[in-house]
Amino acid sequence: HTIDDEAGRVIVAENASFHPLRVGWEADAEGFVSSRRLLMCQDVLPPRTRQVLVVLSRDLKGKAFRLSYGFDGGGHEGGGVPAVGLHIPDIDDLGQLKALHAPQPIAGGAAGGAAGLAIPPAA
């Protein structure tokens, strides 16, 4: 899911399956600040979870704004995935933003995600 407005953009991944999902995101941008501190991430979402991959806010000091990005993903073939998922860059280093980027259970699903931010499904 992507939520976009004049202030920036929010990128959310959802794993509706019963298997871990690997998802990657990478951007080429100017005039934006990333909540993950980098313009890339690689995450493994536990089954039946969704996660805010990144929030991109416009840098008000910027004179120019440019943004392009891409995704990749697939099934995770590694070992077991902890309930908090696997993350590059590590979300444990994000301080108060850690809860924003932690996998969240999908309503009505048996997920092992962390409690906290509830993201409504896209309309």
Side-chain angles (χ1 to χ4, degrees):
H1 306 289
T2 302
I3 301 168
D4 185 22
D5 77 7
E6 63 212 30
R9 187 166 288 189
V10 179
I11 310 288
V12 178
E14 183 171 282
N15 180 6
S17 79
F18 292 97
H19 305 284
L21 175 71
R22 176 187 50 81
V23 63
W25 174 87
E26 187 170 357
D28 180 23
E30 178 182 355
F32 287 88
V33 176
S34 167
S35 62
R36 296 284 292 264
R37 300 188 180 135
L38 298 175
L39 292 173
M40 62 77 61
C41 65
Q42 295 180 358
D43 297 288
V44 177
L45 279 66
R48 309 286 302 148
T49 61
R50 68 172 53 99
Q51 177 185 330
V52 173
L53 296 179
V54 67
V55 177
L56 297 167
S57 302
R58 286 201 176 172
D59 182 354
L60 298 179
K61 298 176 198 167
K63 296 181 181 182
F65 300 99
R66 174 182 50 79
L67 176 63
S68 63
Y69 56 88
F71 300 94
D72 71 354
H76 175 68
E77 298 181 13
V81 177
V84 295
L86 301 170
H87 312 283
I88 299 173
D90 192 347
I91 63 173
D92 287 337
D93 299 333
L94 295 178
Q96 293 179 345
L97 294 179
K98 177 182 176 180
L100 174 69
H101 292 291
Q104 304 297 315
I106 295 174
L117 176 71
I119 302 167

